[in-house]
Amino acid sequence: MAVSHCVSQTRETAPRCARSLERCRSASSARKTGLETEQEQSYRRWREEERIRLEQRFLLGADCAWTRIEKSEAFYCRRNGRAFRIAQGKDKRWTLCRVEEIDDEGELLGTYQGRGDANKALKKIAYAPQLQR
């Protein structure tokens, strides 16, 4: 039975049309083509390779975007040769720290409502002259 035929049916035949429509939907969703599966696997592989590439860039000292290192909760990035860590606390606020190494506790630079706010501040902090300690 065609779906368009079901639209114009009366109340008596509506349940039959609904069942037919539901069968069509479930059959089409159950039939995942081999191409879709292959594309999904390819995308997952690409994401994992990209994650590894970013992690390696950070560890080698190159400037890079925010990335997780070794499955940690925090994100790390490097800008202007300086390493930064951002982590979300229990209060859902983000703390931004300047770090020398991954295991380093770091110097607290600020606490922010969202990652976007921290990124805006980081744009200025990363390129500001470094204070001598």
Side-chain angles (χ1 to χ4, degrees), residues 11-107:
R11 288 181 187 255
E12 296 83 31
T13 58
R16 187 175 61 184
C17 288
R19 285 191 302 271
S20 174
L21 185 58
E22 183 58 35
R23 271 184 293 194
C24 288
R25 285 183 183 154
S26 65
S28 67
S29 66
R31 275 182 289 172
K32 197 170 203 179
T33 66
L35 179 61
E36 288 173 334
T37 305
E38 184 179 329
Q39 287 173 338
E40 187 176 302
Q41 289 172 350
S42 175
Y43 177 71
R44 285 186 180 154
R45 258 192 318 272
W46 174 81
R47 279 189 52 185
E48 181 63 19
E49 289 169 0
E50 188 64 24
R51 184 192 65 75
I52 291 169
R53 194 171 307 128
L54 272 173
E55 185 176 318
Q56 289 174 345
R57 272 184 69 90
F58 178 83
L59 294 173
L60 291 172
D63 285 2
C64 65
W66 292 111
T67 186
R68 283 198 170 145
I69 305 294
E70 301 170 359
K71 308 286 184 184
S72 71
E73 293 296 318
F75 290 91
Y76 294 86
C77 86
R78 192 178 305 274
R79 298 224 180 124
N80 199 23
R82 302 176 192 169
F84 300 93
R85 179 183 65 232
I86 190 169
Q88 190 174 31
K90 292 180 182 176
D91 60 352
K92 303 291 185 193
R93 295 176 61 88
W94 294 88
T95 56
L96 178 65
C97 298
R98 166 104 161 79
V99 295
E100 296 297 324
E101 297 177 10
I102 295 172
D103 299 333
D104 185 15
E105 190 172 312
E107 173 188 346

Side-chain angles (χ1 to χ4, degrees), residues 1-16:
M1 179 179 293
V3 176
S4 61
H5 179 69
C6 290
V7 174
S8 63
Q9 295 297 312
T10 62
R11 288 181 187 255
E12 296 83 31
T13 58
R16 187 175 61 184

Side-chain angles (χ1 to χ4, degrees), residues 119-131:
N119 265 328
K120 286 178 186 176
L122 185 60
K123 285 179 184 177
K124 293 180 182 179
I125 293 169
Y127 298 100
Q130 190 170 358
L131 298 174

